[in-house]
Structures are given as C-alpha cells and as structure tokens.
Amino acid sequence: MELRHLRYFLAVAEQRSFTRAAEKVGIGQPPLSMQIKALEEEIGGALFLRTSHGVELSEVGRVFLPHAQKAVDDAEQALRAAQQAASGEVGLLRMGFTSSAVFHPLVANALQQFRERHRKLEISLSEGITEQLLADIAASQLDAAFVRIVTTPSAELGVVELPAEKLKVALPRSHPLARRKSLRLQDLAGENFIMVPRGKGSALYDNIFNACQAAGFDPQVIQLAPQLTSAINLVASGLGISIVPEAIEQVQLAQVRYIEIREPAPRAQLSLAYHRQSIAASRFAAHLQRSLRRAGGPADKEQA
C-alpha cells in the first residue's frame, strides 16, 4: 500500500465518481480504477459499491476512510515539518558566546531579530571561552559561537567578522588617571595590568600586548582573569587596570571608570564562527551578514 493509493481512495470517496476523482488527481479513469482495484485486493474487500448515481463507500470503505485520511494528513504534516527543518525554520540553534560578546549591540540586535523572525526555532545559549567554543563547534556540540579570535574559514567552519571594536582602559575610580578624558598607551607604562590569558582569548591578549610594545613598554601583567567581566570586578577592587572592548563599558560598577585610548589605539575583533553543516547556523550567519550590511559594516570574510 502506497500513499498515492490512499489519495486516490480519498478522491473517489469525496467525489463519489471515478471520472471526477480521476480529473482531480490528474490521471486517467482506467489507471485510477486499476489502482483502487489493487488496493481492494490488498485489503481483501470492496471499498466502494457501484450505484446508478456513481459510487458509495462500502462498509469496509467507511471503516477505512478515517484511517486513510489520518495517514495522508500525517504524511503531509511530516513533509511540512521536514521542509521547515530543511529551511532552518524549526529545530534547535545551539549558540555559544564569550562573556563580552553578549554586550556587543550588533550581537544582541541580530539575535533578537532572528528570534522574532524564526519563532518556531529554539535557540539555546551557552557561555564559554573561545578555545572551548571552537572545539565544541568542531565536535558538533555547538552550531555557532561569537568568539574573540580571528578564525580562518574552512570546509566545515564558516566565519563572519564584525566591525573591529575600540578598546578602552578600565581604571579604579580612585586612580589618578581616572580623571582624564582620554589616555595614551604610553601613560599606562608601569601600571599593573589585569588581562585574560592568551590561551582563552589569544587575539585580544596579543592585540593589547603588541600595542603596548609598539608604545614602548611591556605591560606588567600581575593578574589573569578567566573572563573580561571578571577582570572588571578585579579592577573595581583596586587590584590594577585593564584594557577591554568598548562593549564591556555596559558593565557599570561604581568603582570603575572607562577612558578612551588616543590613536593609534588597539582594536578588538569579534567573529561569528559556525558549522556549515548546521542549517540553522548557516541561516543565522546569513542574517548576521545582512544586518552588518545594513549597519554599514566592513566586507565579510566570506560570502553568504
């Protein structure tokens, strides 16, 4: 028994005529009659009774009708669900992010708009460090992640770069330099730095370290923090200063002040890394690229 047999049966039951049913399903009457006869032979009983006005359901046909209708409805529902999954409309998008990424306005806006346009798609969010997030994507435990490292696209990994983000100096409010409107990197020589370890965000660490060296000094790192938000809390305690992406300024603590860095100033890079085999992630990447183009962002590292 095939699905088309059920559709032919339902058409005859609805039209009460082999001629009209054949027109509805788009085949000739003789082939339709042969398909119904084959179905009746498989069932072991007649599905229709021939009358002077056409055909009517037999007792066997009346019992068979609701089950045939349900089977066809279920098949159509399964097809629609599969088509939605294939287009990324339903399913699950497993999204990771570094602690600072969630504060980036483009990230927040892109996620909000994507949620609004794909309400049947579930999005799970998890925070982690860049190294682990990329490893989880490679292991198919995550579909995509916003990471603070420049990542090269590959056959499996897609990358969308966000515009380079300014860095600011985070100082204890009691620090003498906290009264300045802006600072040169040279002004920070001799200060105690709080930084995220190289292994947990190498692009940011190296950008800051290289910029300080270009300004004539090696930053004196006295404390490593697991996350940028943790670094801000350590700054608030008076332990030292930190250089952080501008988006972190949304973490407002009474004891911390954020100061602009004069040019030439280092920049922070935030990128979306995603698994190309994930339909939902690829769809989100395309959505993010469109958002960046509307915002006037730089050209993407790769085409959607």
Side-chain angles (χ1 to χ4, degrees), residues 205-226:
Y205 184 100
D206 287 343
N207 286 350
I208 294 171
F209 205 94
N210 293 339
C212 290
Q213 286 185 323
F217 71 98
D218 289 338
Q220 183 178 337
V221 181
I222 56 94
Q223 181 65 50
L224 296 176

Side-chain angles (χ1 to χ4, degrees), residues 66-224:
H67 300 285
Q69 186 66 64
K70 184 177 185 304
V72 170
D73 290 344
D74 287 347
E76 292 176 351
Q77 184 177 356
L79 176 61
R80 287 193 297 271
Q83 289 173 334
Q84 288 177 329
S87 66
E89 291 293 335
V90 299
L92 173 64
L93 173 61
R94 300 165 299 176
M95 178 70 72
F97 57 90
T98 61
S99 62
S100 61
V102 70
F103 297 105
H104 198 294
L106 287 177
V107 172
N109 290 339
L111 279 171
Q112 181 181 4
Q113 292 171 4
F114 191 74
R115 277 185 183 275
E116 291 174 353
R117 295 174 185 177
H118 303 83
R119 295 186 180 277
K120 294 182 179 179
L121 181 67
E122 181 183 353
I123 302 177
S124 68
L125 301 176
S126 59
E127 182 179 343
I129 60 175
T130 289
E131 283 182 329
Q132 187 59 53
L133 294 173
L134 291 175
D136 288 344
I137 293 175
S140 298
Q141 296 176 356
L142 278 178
D143 300 306
F146 285 100
V147 295
R148 288 255 177 221
I149 188 170
V150 179
T151 307
T152 304
S154 65
E156 293 186 349
L157 188 71
V159 177
V160 179
E161 289 186 353
L162 277 68
E165 188 180 358
K166 290 182 179 179
L167 294 178
K168 287 192 170 185
V169 183
L171 296 160
R173 190 167 290 273
S174 59
H175 195 288
L177 294 177
R179 294 190 293 270
R180 302 273 193 92
K181 290 185 177 180
S182 63
L183 291 168
R184 301 173 304 164
L185 280 178
Q186 295 93 316
D187 297 329
L188 305 179
E191 296 290 338
N192 292 329
F193 277 73
I194 301 167
M195 296 179 68
V196 174
R198 173 178 277 110
K200 296 185 177 181
S202 60
L204 182 59
Y205 184 100
D206 287 343
N207 286 350
I208 294 171
F209 205 94
N210 293 339
C212 290
Q213 286 185 323
F217 71 98
D218 289 338
Q220 183 178 337
V221 181
I222 56 94
Q223 181 65 50
L224 296 176

